[in-house]
Amino acid sequence: MPPKKNFLKPKTKGKQKAQDPQSENDFLDAADDLEQSAGKWRAGDAPKATRFFNKAIDMYNEGLKRFPQSFDLAYNKANLEYIMTEDERIVSHLGNKTALLEETLNSHRFAISLNPTNTDILFNAAQVLTSLADAGLEAGTQAAGKHGARPLLEEAVEIFTKCLESQQQEYAQMQAGIAQAQASGEYQEAWEGERQQPAEPQDEDMETTSGSSEAPGDWATVEEPLTPESILETCTAQLDALTTLLGLYDPATDLASIEKKAQDGLDTATTKVPALIELVDKSPTTKPADEPKTGPTLSIGSMPTEEEATTPRDDAILAAANFQASIAEVQYRSGRATPIAYTEAVERIFSNLVKAAGQATSPDLASMNVQSAYADALMDLASAIANGSEYTIGAPTFAQDIDIQWTALTQAQNILTQLSSAPHSSIFSASRLADVFIARGDTDLFRFRLSLLGHEKPAWVKNRPVLVANAGVFYRGARSYAEKAGVAAVRSTADAKAIVAEILKDMANGSLVAKESWKGKSVDVAKVLEQMAEEGIVGREHVEGVLNLTV
């Protein structure tokens, strides 16, 4: 998301005694200082950082009481609130994330009311909408989460689409102006003159102006130029929201909505993104030198808390692939594609990306994100087939279907194993590794279920005890990484899934005895069981038995 409004502050002649803010700029200055103080403590002392962030919010609120029409104050307040809700280290000290996101959305809507055409605040608001939808999907039941998330994501997609159209128009006009200037010779002359003239020293007391400031000389708004990279970021955000939204539609009743959203997304994925990437490749930007990286390690205690950055180009390519994979899933779920055709589509979408990732001389975050997305697509394939109308033991294609599932899940597990092993594990943050280990547990528990369905192969039956045991190991590993990352919700999910795996293991061994550690976990277990049954990881015939042991 675009950062808070960028302001240029002149150097002060010396440290002066702090005074109560009087002007709009005073409030901006004071809040900015508090944000910087929070940033210094963000990694080492989250509670202290949270206190500084809250003081900054209070400062923005006080400023808005005095200057209720200040877009800069409203924008920066909304931006800071979103930053706080997206940092698990901070949000854990603030309360319910969904309630905080709703408050953040209200702040964005207020800022939009002050400047309805500003694409930065519109884009940020759409980001908040997608985060609010994601939080609802994670916190509520499957049915309730989907019901609440759909309108949020539909609004987000609409805003992202408007921002994208606006950015494209602005960029086209900017390029046309440059071309006209070049044709007339003005562009070159102006550039040469700027390059040859030395910069004149600026008096420290020289005044600058800001459209929203009543005290000139303190702050000046700095507008960043629009680039193909920034437009690619909007493409990525739009495609990510569309990918999630398509999964919430029911092909039986929402086909018209699906087709419209698919058309918009495919235009972005297959036309806009390639055109923008071509512009980026023709005019590459200078990248700063990479920081030295630490060596690989297997220690949870030394996992990086932050991951390296990926480029807008990489992110957009991956978002386009994920969206196209979601289209392939919708085509299967709507009866327009067979399991074989669906499988071939996923392979076709990711083949070149995975091949390029495998050719990297050393693992980096971009290549690992590609592999992770491919594993997700393979797991989605297995889940979609499990929910197919023809997925019954007596169906003529059932043996073929579970064979496709087993192959996809085995391939996914191989990818996930690589991502969670050195040297790859030194690149992912602890939070990402927690997600990877949950996926590894889901994959093996899914294969364990396939080994129980009939038509299974001897090798599947032989591996059955190992699969269910490994699932528990992976879930407990996810719990450890989630604790390290301070991600309470992920830790709770991993813990509940570990209980499910343990119960299913004892059921399979015929040694089922209720354990004290399972008691009182029915709420958490019920939540993950509902999702696991919907995704095909656990058979619905086991749900009631598992729940009864956790009451």
Side-chain angles (χ1 to χ4, degrees), residues 200-417:
E200 295 184 4
Q202 186 177 29
D203 191 334
E204 288 184 343
D205 295 327
M206 183 177 293
E207 294 185 349
T208 57
T209 61
S210 170
S212 62
S213 170
E214 90 291 323
D218 293 330
W219 298 75
T221 303
V222 179
E223 295 291 341
E224 296 183 358
L226 184 64
T227 64
E229 286 90 344
S230 58
I231 304 176
L232 275 175
E233 290 174 348
T234 306
C235 291
T236 297
Q238 181 207 39
L239 290 172
D240 285 345
L242 277 169
T243 298
T244 304
L245 179 58
L246 284 180
L248 304 182
Y249 285 130
D250 183 352
T253 57
D254 303 315
L255 195 56
S257 297
I258 290 174
E259 289 178 341
K260 176 61 172 65
K261 295 297 187 294
Q263 182 179 356
D264 292 342
L266 286 172
D267 179 55
T268 299
T270 62
T271 303
K272 291 184 175 68
V273 167
L276 289 164
I277 287 175
E278 185 177 357
L279 288 174
V280 171
D281 290 343
K282 286 181 178 178
S283 55
T285 55
T286 303
K287 294 179 64 177
D290 292 334
E291 298 263 343
K293 295 181 181 178
T294 58
T297 175
L298 292 176
S299 170
I300 293 178
S302 57
M303 287 293 104
T305 56
E306 302 289 346
E307 293 177 345
E308 65 182 66
T310 52
T311 67
R313 183 185 189 279
D314 291 332
D315 295 341
I317 290 173
L318 186 54
N322 286 332
F323 177 76
Q324 290 173 302
S326 72
I327 293 294
E329 181 180 349
V330 168
Q331 289 177 332
Y332 171 74
R333 290 195 291 125
S334 62
R336 298 183 178 184
T338 65
I340 293 177
Y342 181 13
T343 303
E344 291 173 346
V346 171
E347 295 297 328
R348 183 172 61 253
I349 291 165
F350 283 97
S351 59
N352 289 334
L353 296 179
V354 172
K355 182 179 179 180
Q359 292 174 343
T361 54
S362 60
D364 57 30
L365 186 59
S367 64
M368 290 171 64
N369 284 343
V370 166
Q371 294 170 312
S372 179
Y374 181 40
D376 287 343
L378 291 168
M379 294 175 69
D380 289 342
L381 166 67
S383 293
I385 293 175
N387 290 316
S389 59
E390 301 298 321
Y391 192 75
T392 58
I393 294 179
T397 60
F398 185 70
Q400 180 189 73
D401 288 347
I402 63 172
D403 193 48
I404 291 174
Q405 289 176 294
W406 184 277
T407 301
L409 291 168
T410 301
Q411 195 171 358
Q413 186 63 271
N414 291 337
I415 295 170
L416 295 169
T417 300

Side-chain angles (χ1 to χ4, degrees), residues 20-85:
D20 291 337
Q22 298 297 322
S23 69
E24 177 187 349
N25 289 335
D26 289 342
F27 284 102
L28 287 167
D29 198 353
D32 182 70
D33 288 342
L34 289 166
E35 285 191 53
Q36 291 186 40
S37 297
K40 295 175 182 178
W41 295 101
R42 197 168 176 178
D45 191 338
K48 191 169 185 176
T50 302
R51 290 195 292 272
F52 275 110
F53 278 136
N54 283 331
K55 288 179 181 179
I57 294 295
D58 291 341
M59 188 62 66
Y60 285 128
N61 284 332
E62 287 299 315
L64 286 167
K65 289 179 182 178
R66 295 276 300 274
F67 306 97
Q69 298 302 307
S70 170
F71 174 69
D72 292 339
L73 285 169
Y75 181 106
N76 285 2
K77 176 198 171 187
N79 186 78
L80 175 56
E81 286 179 338
Y82 186 59
I83 290 173
M84 293 166 68
T85 61

Side-chain angles (χ1 to χ4, degrees), residues 149-169:
R150 269 185 54 171
L152 295 171
L153 287 169
E154 287 171 340
E155 183 180 359
V157 167
E158 182 180 351
I159 294 174
F160 283 136
T161 302
K162 288 181 179 178
C163 287
L164 185 55
E165 292 172 352
S166 177
Q167 287 177 323
Q168 287 184 300
Q169 291 174 3

Side-chain angles (χ1 to χ4, degrees), residues 523-546:
V523 174
D524 291 339
V525 170
K527 179 181 172 182
V528 299
L529 262 179
E530 180 185 4
Q531 181 181 11
M532 295 168 87
E534 183 169 309
E535 294 175 356
I537 297 168
V538 173
R540 292 196 177 276
E541 66 275 10
H542 291 133
V543 170
E544 185 177 353
V546 171

